[in-house]
Amino acid sequence: MRADSPEFLHATQASYDAIAEAYAAEFPDSLAGRPLERALLTAFVDLVRAAGAPKQAPVADIGSGPGHVAARLHAFGLPVFGVDVSPRMVALARREHPELRFHVGSMTALDLPDETLGGIVALYSIIHVPDDQLPAVFAEFHRVLVPGAPVLLGFQSGDEDGHERLTERFGQEISLDYYWRTPDTVASHFTRAGLELHACVLREAVDGEKRPRTFLLARRPAVVAGSDGR
């Protein structure tokens, strides 16, 4: 990571490097026992295929952690790779899923050319991103997606926006900010970034979760024939 990267990225990287092994052991597959989330992932896959992106346009799992979401997308037959800010998380994902590609990167500045992705999945990835950085994140999503390609976003939600900082997890000292946001807050950022909202799903907290979960399906607008004036 570049020295001039936003401070929250350095803190998030260091925190997840410290807890990577324990986190992966505790959450080997966050979609196991979550039928709604798995159904939304299936819907996302169908939207990727319906968008008709070039066959070489892969899907990116951004904030890929131990790699289980990327592995599920691979099982659907999609070309997919993972991006995570934590080198130790990337190493774990490569170890568990050697058939897939994972690399270290930041969602605020993706190391990808314009219009190269056939879709983006980002489940619980923006929860560490400060409000003032969300426009840059969603602008990057818009930039790297091919026209018509979808986004599936998942995040902790609530009746109002909020924030807390954790200084310890899994017995490790960390400095990790968590943000929860209303669906309208995130949807408005999507809209300002030029992404079209397709669906919004709210799931209540279950199994000891502190807050509800919101899932947004959106897409970069498709190119309309003749829209360039020809």
Side-chain angles (χ1 to χ4, degrees):
M1 187 183 301
R2 289 167 37 180
D4 61 350
S5 296
E7 178 56 35
F8 84 92
L9 288 176
H10 293 281
T12 303
Q13 182 184 76
S15 295
Y16 273 102
D17 278 350
I19 66 174
E21 285 80 5
Y23 180 97
E26 181 78 10
F27 305 107
D29 185 352
S30 66
L31 300 186
R34 295 285 187 266
L36 177 62
E37 283 87 329
R38 295 199 305 273
L40 288 168
L41 197 67
T42 300
F44 168 81
V45 171
D46 288 343
L47 289 171
V48 169
R49 291 170 174 159
K55 290 185 177 181
Q56 69 272 20
V59 168
D61 176 16
I62 297 180
S64 50
H68 54 269
V69 174
R72 286 182 179 272
L73 292 167
H74 177 69
F76 276 109
L78 293 183
V80 59
F81 65 94
V83 180
D84 201 277
V85 74
S86 163
R88 294 191 75 176
M89 279 292 193
V90 167
L92 287 173
R94 288 171 176 169
R95 185 183 71 194
E96 293 300 315
H97 307 285
E99 74 281 9
L100 299 179
R101 178 166 57 95
F102 297 90
H103 68 262
V104 178
S106 163
M107 67 179 70
T108 62
L110 294 167
D111 187 19
L112 296 167
D114 295 353
E115 299 186 5
T116 54
L117 293 183
I120 289 173
V121 172
L123 297 182
Y124 311 113
S125 304
I126 67 164
I127 62 174
H128 305 302
V129 179
D131 294 340
D132 63 352
Q133 294 292 324
L134 280 181
V137 169
F138 295 145
E140 279 292 271
F141 286 10
H142 184 279
R143 180 183 69 80
V144 298
L145 288 168
V146 301
V151 179
L152 173 60
L153 188 74
F155 54 96
Q156 283 90 341
S157 191
D159 294 331
E160 58 184 18
D161 298 347
H163 162 254
E164 67 175 333
R165 173 172 292 178
L166 291 188
T167 57
E168 183 276 334
R169 199 173 182 198
F170 299 109
Q172 299 290 328
E173 184 177 337
I174 61 172
S175 178
L176 196 55
D177 288 296
Y178 286 82
Y179 298 86
W180 56 94
R181 299 176 172 102
T182 69
D184 286 345
T185 293
V186 180
S188 66
H189 281 291
F190 262 4
T191 300
R192 288 195 290 272
L195 298 167
E196 293 179 340
L197 187 63
H198 179 72
C200 175
V201 177
L202 176 66
R203 174 176 68 70
E204 295 300 329
V206 297
D207 299 334
E209 295 172 344
K210 293 181 179 180
R211 297 178 180 86
R213 267 48 173 171
T214 293
F215 303 92
L216 300 181
L217 275 166
R219 69 168 187 166
R220 176 171 171 171
V223 174
V224 178
S227 62
D228 59 358
R230 289 182 290 180

